[in-house]
Amino acid sequence: MSDILAGKKGLVIGIANEHSIAWGCAKAFHEAGAQLAITYLNEKAAPYVRPIAEQLKTSIILPLDVRDDAQMKALFDAIKTKWGKLDFLLHAVAFAPMQDLQGRIVDASRAGFLEAMDISCYSFISLSHLAEPLMQEGGCLLTTTYYGSEKVIQNYGLMGPVKSALEGTVRYLAAELGAKNIRVNALSPGPIATRAASGIAHFDQLLELAHQKSPEHVAISIDGVGAYARFLVSDEARLVTGSIAYVDAGFNIMGG
């Protein structure tokens, strides 16, 4: 493995356990030479995240609920104190209340919709705002999305319009921050059996559909997503910004 991220400092948000997409990315970043800061949601999540984060010799491990402005500030204060800069950030956080996620969009509650947008989309804006001053030499902001943002995917429900908003946010942030050499992109993996995905009704059917319909007919892995993420946050991707990067074995190119 080449050290294409040697000397880079990165923040990874969204690891829940060893099956998380964010974990696959964190491993790839570490193997490429990056130093990482890693967050966990709360004390209930800490026993699942801390042990695997420590495998990567992580120098900053802190709690972060993206709705908590004080925790957000404390995290970036710690990064500034420890490193004085930030080269890249991965945002792999999404949530919608179960009743709203598994129901019809037309029946979604205002509270549920706003909570999904706050956690899944606005949090990326908040993180970008705090990261910008630490990226004086440029950097990369990376988030995670899904093809259900573009086309109606059965049972994806409320997360469809929420991810659409996130992808629009990626494009506008890329336009605004490009002059500072800060790139903004989104990874769009095919379905992967993560804890977050378990909230989607009949997720096993979605996995099977993706496997059958994609040209490569293979399951998407967190390691495969991590490999693409590693490239996107590296200097080798210095001309890539505002993009939605599919890691789905070609599923997105297929018709109905």
Side-chain angles (χ1 to χ4, degrees), residues 147 151 210 212-217 248-256:
Y147 186 57
K151 301 293 184 182
Q212 291 180 359
K213 189 176 175 182
S214 65
E216 293 187 296
H217 304 296
D248 63 0
F251 178 83
N252 72 92
I253 68 171
M254 303 304 291

Side-chain angles (χ1 to χ4, degrees), residues 94-97 100-106 108 112-113 116-117 120-121 144-169 171 188 200 206 244:
F95 175 82
D100 295 290
L101 178 62
Q102 296 193 348
R104 302 189 307 167
I105 292 177
V106 73
F113 179 79
M117 285 290 289
S120 310
C121 181
T144 51
T145 185
Y146 176 61
Y147 186 57
S149 64
E150 298 181 36
K151 301 293 184 182
V152 175
I153 301 294
Q154 189 173 7
N155 299 315
Y156 197 56
L158 183 59
M159 289 310 299
V162 170
K163 290 295 191 180
S164 294
L166 179 63
E167 291 181 13
T169 297
R171 288 186 283 271
S188 186
I200 299 172
L206 188 59
I244 310 302

Side-chain angles (χ1 to χ4, degrees), residues 165-178:
L166 179 63
E167 291 181 13
T169 297
V170 165
R171 288 186 283 271
Y172 277 83
L173 290 177
E176 292 176 352
L177 298 174

